[in-house]
Amino acid sequence: MNFKLAFLVGNRIVSRTTFRMSSTAETFQNSDDVLRRILKSTKTIALIGASKNTERASNHVMCEIYSVMKMSSSTLQEMGYKVIPINPGLAKENYILHGERVYSNLKEVSSEFTVDMVDIFRNSKDAGPIVDEAVVIGAKSVWLQLGVVNEDAAKRAIDAGLDVAMNTCPLIEAPRLGINGPDESSSL
């Protein structure tokens, strides 16, 4: 089954994406308790697949003001999260994206920051090795974005003690759950 998602800025569609869902039932189910824990305890997010292309969802989620099906006018940075973009090509250019240096990989980020959440904007197949790297660097959670479904990777992350969100977006879940950003009491 194919789904389409459009990101809006004002009344203008700036990004469209199509993703395919398997017709077979998936075993992983997001839990509102886990989503709340991730969104409230996270301070620093490593965003895999960051893009300077303003038409890409990974660009909007990080900083640009947009509306997801008129559910949110906030972004991760506006909500108070530190978002560290990861894109090897942009890192080679020493690119600064929305005020943050772009890094080439999670290991490089983890040498400078404690990563709470790894937010994955890659295809489902590529998500597996990224999840494994998130485990190695000691991330607390992985968030596989809309259309990114990797049951085996989710199981490995859970088995390693990480919280997992899959096939959803924090900018959809946060307002649905009444969360405006990280808890002030959460430690960096």
Side-chain angles (χ1 to χ4, degrees):
M1 179 182 309
N2 290 329
F3 292 89
K4 292 187 179 198
L5 178 68
F7 291 92
L8 306 172
V9 174
N11 293 328
R12 184 174 68 92
I13 295 175
V14 296
S15 178
R16 294 177 197 247
T17 187
T18 302
F19 57 93
R20 180 173 173 77
M21 295 275 302
S22 169
S23 59
T24 60
E26 288 142 9
T27 57
F28 180 86
Q29 295 287 320
N30 287 313
S31 155
D32 284 354
D33 290 340
V34 171
L35 297 175
R36 274 188 198 90
R37 183 170 54 240
I38 293 170
L39 292 167
K40 288 183 173 186
S41 66
T42 293
K43 295 277 189 178
T44 303
I45 300 170
L47 194 145
I48 306 287
S51 176
K52 67 180 178 180
N53 180 346
T54 58
E55 302 289 313
R56 303 287 302 226
S58 61
N59 184 290
H60 303 298
V61 165
M62 184 174 173
C63 185
E64 295 297 318
I65 296 174
Y66 76 101
S67 173
V68 178
M69 296 179 279
K70 300 192 184 221
M71 295 171 72
S72 173
S73 62
S74 232
T75 66
L76 294 173
Q77 286 181 328
E78 290 171 332
M79 292 172 70
Y81 299 104
K82 178 166 186 65
V83 183
I84 303 166
I86 299 177
N87 179 311
L90 295 179
K92 287 178 187 173
E93 299 173 16
N94 295 314
Y95 200 83
I96 303 296
L97 185 63
H98 303 303
E100 296 289 343
R101 172 184 160 209
V102 179
Y103 289 79
S104 60
N105 58 54
L106 278 172
K107 184 177 179 183
E108 184 182 8
V109 171
S110 70
S111 70
E112 295 183 37
F113 300 96
T114 298
V115 175
D116 299 313
M117 177 207 298
V118 176
D119 192 0
I120 303 172
F121 279 91
R122 297 293 306 272
N123 68 44
S124 298
K125 179 182 165 190
D126 291 344
I130 296 165
V131 168
D132 296 337
E133 191 176 356
V135 170
V136 169
I137 67 157
K140 297 175 189 169
S141 64
V142 291
W143 195 295
L144 285 71
Q145 280 289 332
L146 289 165
V148 183
V149 177
N150 188 318
E151 298 283 339
D152 293 335
K155 183 178 182 336
R156 289 194 307 272
I158 291 166
D159 289 348
L162 278 68
D163 284 330
V164 175
M166 187 162 58
N167 195 26
T168 190
C169 177
L171 292 185
I172 292 171
E173 298 299 340
R176 183 182 73 78
L177 297 169
I179 297 169
N180 297 320
D183 278 351
E184 295 303 316
S185 60
S186 296
S187 62
L188 292 170

